[in-house]
Amino acid sequence: MPRPDDAQDTRPAPEPLDVEALVIGSGISGIGAAVALRQAGVRNLVLLEKADRLGGTWRDNTYPGCACDVPSALYSYSFAPNPEWTRAFAGQAEIRAYLTDTASRHGITPLIHFRTEVTRAQWQPSEARWHVDTGRGRYTARFLISAAGPWHEPRTPDIPGLADFPGPVFHSSRWRHDHPLDGTRVAVVGSGASAVQFIPAIQPQVSRLHLFQRTAQWVLPKPDHYAPRVERRLMRRFPAAQRALRNAEYAALEALGIGFRHPSLLRAVQRIGTLHLRATVKDPALRKALTPDYTLGCKRLLLSNAYYPALTRPNVTVHATAVDSIQGNRIVGADGSTAEVDTVILGTGFHILDMPIAGRVFDADGASLDDHWKGSPDAYLGTTVSGFPNAFVLLGPHLGTGHSSAFMVLEAQLAYMAAAVRRSRSEGWTSMDVRPEVQAAFRAEVQQALRATVYNTGGCSSYYLDANGVNSFSWPWSTRRMRRRLDHFDAEAYTTTSRSPSSGPPRQ
């Protein structure tokens, strides 16, 4: 049952509804975009949300143990500090409550049209408008902001026999809370960020747990702790203290980021991971199976104090292999190992670089973002794409970091987007489209810089690499440099058009 603070709009949308700005999604990106647009002077805007509640990934991921792996003070909007975090690393419910509260406080919730899924969005040059089709009618908009996010659509592996498994099968982001695991035999496929969190939570409940781990992960100790009331009272009374904490956490993560750009410096951090594994896993065979064979940072860095201890319990078996097939209720590993189980839980990640929204957004000629990208997502400053005027992609290609907060990336983009919208409105532009040569030059600059980073040289296969084997995800510099780069809107990088005086001012 949706909570009362998640106001729902169940009325049919008017046909058509014309707005100045339309935001797809109501997770951290969508809420942040709406606030930034409001601050830029845009009043006529909507957010389209296919679900019945806001929150994005923090709405969808409700698996046991779900929490953030970025410090709480840094995993929040700078314009909406939260002195009430109860842990150094907040849990899912607390983060989603924060997003709900932020949307309400800033007047964003009434702008969200829930249960409204975008099926197609296409640029119409004759109108200088985006036509956005949904299951509840058509919207038209001057600006289109894609805030669908990369950690949203679960990835289901193509395993022979998976569809015929006789018991429950579900992805970690679609957790079956109606299916008790007590006393059952469970297979977990995948050992990424979600699995590292939910395995310790379910291990005490199940009779047997079989982890099928294709790749061992670097897991560092998590410096998490409960924030006592006196600490929260201090943060409420002295906002400067929370700002100081946020700045300190940011500086610490930026220092870690230097190692990602200079992999030889990561040896000390990697040593911490090795010692953490040795201290918690005494069995030499299990420790060997859990030891990564690539440089720390090549894949997403994971934090947990409970993961390794959970894997040492008598009811847990680690299969250091991919799943080859499923035969009835038997899981068969690529190394020939088998396990008979009652439930299969997929911790197999998300469609990060092949986001489904890219197949639903089209240029004037009917070519989608997917058609333009051909497997390698690309955007100027990770934000705008040539051929898609007046459109912005949030948390887009080339901006991912392995060390910092998504909020740092997002707010840099929001500053750029807001500046672009203000400039367009003040100049009377009907469209602005990044020049293809500018986008290509930026892509070449990024790829050149990535060559020396751990993302490209660490010796692993990760979601940073797209279908063509190109790193379309990562930002190869510091987030300070990202913020400087996105701090102002560079109009000379764009082709702009204006409405003729006789046709009147652009619609607002």
Side-chain angles (χ1 to χ4, degrees), residues 364-415:
D365 297 323
S368 69
L369 277 171
D370 273 342
D371 294 331
H372 280 250
W373 289 342
K374 296 180 173 62
S376 292
D378 181 36
Y380 175 58
L381 298 179
T383 307
T384 55
V385 181
S386 183
F388 296 80
N390 292 11
F392 303 89
V393 180
L394 300 181
L395 298 183
H398 312 314
L399 290 182
T401 74
H403 65 279
S404 192
S405 167
F407 280 86
M408 297 293 104
V409 176
L410 174 64
E411 292 202 27
Q413 285 191 283
L414 295 182

Side-chain angles (χ1 to χ4, degrees), residues 84-132:
E84 306 300 333
W85 296 120
T86 62
R87 301 201 64 84
F89 292 78
Q92 174 268 337
E94 200 167 3
I95 295 173
R96 190 177 170 276
Y98 165 75
L99 294 175
T100 299
D101 181 68
T102 301
S104 177
R105 285 175 180 268
H106 287 80
I108 304 306
T109 308
L111 306 178
I112 305 174
H113 292 195
F114 293 101
R115 297 176 179 170
T116 306
E117 182 172 3
V118 172
T119 56
R120 183 183 182 92
Q122 184 166 4
W123 175 250
Q124 300 293 333
S126 61
E127 303 175 31
R129 271 305 194 265
W130 282 94
H131 283 196
V132 182

Side-chain angles (χ1 to χ4, degrees), residues 6 27 39 58 111 158 174 206 208 210 272 279 295 320 331 344 409 413 427 501:
D6 293 322
Q39 293 173 345
W58 296 107
L111 306 178
D158 184 16
R174 304 292 185 265
V206 303
R208 293 294 306 175
H210 294 270
I272 295 173
T295 304
I331 314 296
V344 175
V409 176
Q413 285 191 283
E427 298 286 349

Side-chain angles (χ1 to χ4, degrees), residues 261 443-453 456 476-477 481:
R261 300 188 294 278
R443 179 178 65 247
E445 180 186 7
V446 168
Q447 293 305 320
Q448 175 64 31
L450 280 171
R451 292 180 182 179
T453 67
N456 283 31
W477 304 290
R481 180 166 174 173

Side-chain angles (χ1 to χ4, degrees), residues 197-244:
Q197 293 186 344
F198 73 72
I199 284 176
I202 68 171
Q203 174 271 319
Q205 305 172 22
V206 303
S207 63
R208 293 294 306 175
L209 191 153
H210 294 270
L211 170 63
F212 284 84
Q213 168 200 271
R214 185 175 58 181
T215 307
Q217 305 282 349
W218 282 107
V219 182
L220 297 180
K222 189 171 187 176
D224 194 16
H225 67 272
Y226 174 73
R229 290 183 179 180
V230 63
E231 180 178 326
R232 284 176 270 158
R233 190 180 305 121
L234 174 69
M235 295 298 177
R236 283 196 303 271
R237 186 170 181 181
F238 302 103
Q242 189 173 21
R243 289 195 297 271

Side-chain angles (χ1 to χ4, degrees), residues 251-281:
L253 293 183
E254 281 302 288
L256 177 62
I258 296 174
F260 284 66
R261 300 188 294 278
H262 304 280
S264 62
L265 300 178
L266 289 171
R267 291 171 186 159
V269 183
Q270 189 163 305
R271 179 68 175 165
I272 295 173
T274 301
L275 291 174
H276 179 47
L277 177 59
R278 289 179 180 175
T280 50
V281 180

Side-chain angles (χ1 to χ4, degrees), residues 143-211:
F143 299 107
L144 180 71
I145 298 90
S146 174
W151 291 279
H152 175 56
E153 290 291 337
R155 180 181 294 279
T156 301
D158 184 16
I159 300 174
L162 179 62
D164 298 321
F165 182 76
V169 177
F170 56 89
H171 192 275
S172 60
S173 67
R174 304 292 185 265
W175 196 270
R176 287 279 305 276
H177 293 281
D178 62 333
H179 174 63
L181 299 177
D182 301 87
T184 63
R185 300 169 299 174
V186 174
V188 175
V189 180
S191 58
S194 300
V196 164
Q197 293 186 344
F198 73 72
I199 284 176
I202 68 171
Q203 174 271 319
Q205 305 172 22
V206 303
S207 63
R208 293 294 306 175
L209 191 153
H210 294 270
L211 170 63

Side-chain angles (χ1 to χ4, degrees), residues 349-370:
F350 299 87
H351 289 274
I352 301 292
L353 291 170
D354 54 341
M355 294 181 287
I357 192 66
R360 302 185 183 191
V361 179
F362 297 82
D363 66 13
D365 297 323
S368 69
L369 277 171
D370 273 342

